[in-house]
Amino acid sequence: MRLSVKEMVLVSMFAALTAVGAFIKIPIPYVPFTLQFLFVLFAGLLLGKRLAFLSQVIYLALGLAGLPIFAQGGGPAYVLQPTFGYLVGFALGAYVIGAVVEKVREKGVPGYFLASMAGLVVVYVLGVIHLYIILNYVVQKPFTLAQAVWFGAIVCAPGDLFLSLVASLVGGRVYKALQSVNPVHREVF
């Protein structure tokens, strides 16, 4: 995969923004609410599937390498944290958001919101499954699937839906503004 300097800067910027989003959080049981998903949304909506995915893979790699850029630290042992599934979900969710928005961009805000919802479903599915497995089989805390869905998705859903709406409203305008400035590279702005 060959990347231009502009693409490398954008990928790095969204990886860094996701890291910053980890530190803006509201502590709630099991899964803290952070602004990471907002930056995953913007990566998918603005960069497209390939670069959005790469930005989140870089974020994951840096955190797993030991940089304390996840919501509760970093390092290879973080895969045993109950919330690690959400981080994997960020990478796949960014890809899905980018893939969907590439097909529905001309539909405006509803298209952007549809793409955001598709990504959110991916993040929640991977996050809830990992939360359930880690709490039951690693931490050995009895935790039902219904509890995992409640704490891992339903409690967070109002905030994430709000972030999706904001990203959908802002993302379309930013994309159009950047297209008017640089119409040559349509796949990246």
Side-chain angles (χ1 to χ4, degrees):
M1 175 188 304
R2 299 192 94 172
L3 297 176
S4 69
V5 172
K6 178 181 175 182
E7 290 171 329
M8 285 188 256
V9 168
L10 290 169
V11 164
S12 300
M13 181 179 72
F14 278 97
L17 286 170
T18 305
V20 169
F23 297 102
I24 305 168
K25 61 185 169 185
I26 299 170
I28 54 178
Y30 303 107
V31 182
F33 179 79
T34 69
L35 288 187
Q36 292 166 294
F37 184 61
L38 178 64
F39 298 115
V40 170
L41 286 164
F42 280 128
L45 295 174
L46 297 174
L47 300 182
K49 62 186 178 197
R50 181 177 67 103
L51 296 180
F53 176 74
L54 185 57
S55 73
Q56 298 310 302
V57 167
I58 289 172
Y59 170 66
L60 270 172
L62 291 172
L64 289 174
L67 293 177
I69 58 175
F70 297 148
Q72 298 169 344
Y78 205 86
V79 298
L80 298 175
Q81 287 288 328
T83 57
F84 184 73
Y86 294 94
L87 301 178
V88 174
F90 290 163
L92 294 176
Y95 182 88
V96 168
I97 293 165
V100 172
V101 84
E102 287 171 7
K103 296 185 184 317
V104 298
R105 191 177 304 279
E106 67 282 345
K107 296 193 185 320
V109 173
Y112 279 79
F113 192 72
L114 174 67
S116 298
M117 290 297 92
L120 183 59
V121 167
V122 170
V123 171
Y124 279 175
V125 166
L126 292 174
V128 167
I129 290 170
H130 193 267
L131 178 70
Y132 176 79
I133 291 170
I134 294 299
L135 286 177
N136 277 290
Y137 302 108
V138 175
V139 177
Q140 306 240 336
K141 175 183 173 129
F143 206 71
T144 67
L145 186 56
Q147 288 175 304
V149 170
W150 175 258
F151 288 108
I154 294 172
V155 170
C156 302
D160 287 333
L161 290 170
F162 177 73
L163 294 179
S164 297
L165 181 61
V166 168
S168 299
L169 291 169
V170 174
R173 289 182 179 208
V174 170
Y175 185 83
K176 285 179 185 176
L178 293 171
Q179 282 299 305
S180 66
V181 172
N182 188 12
V184 176
H185 291 85
R186 293 224 176 259
E187 69 280 354
V188 180
F189 296 141

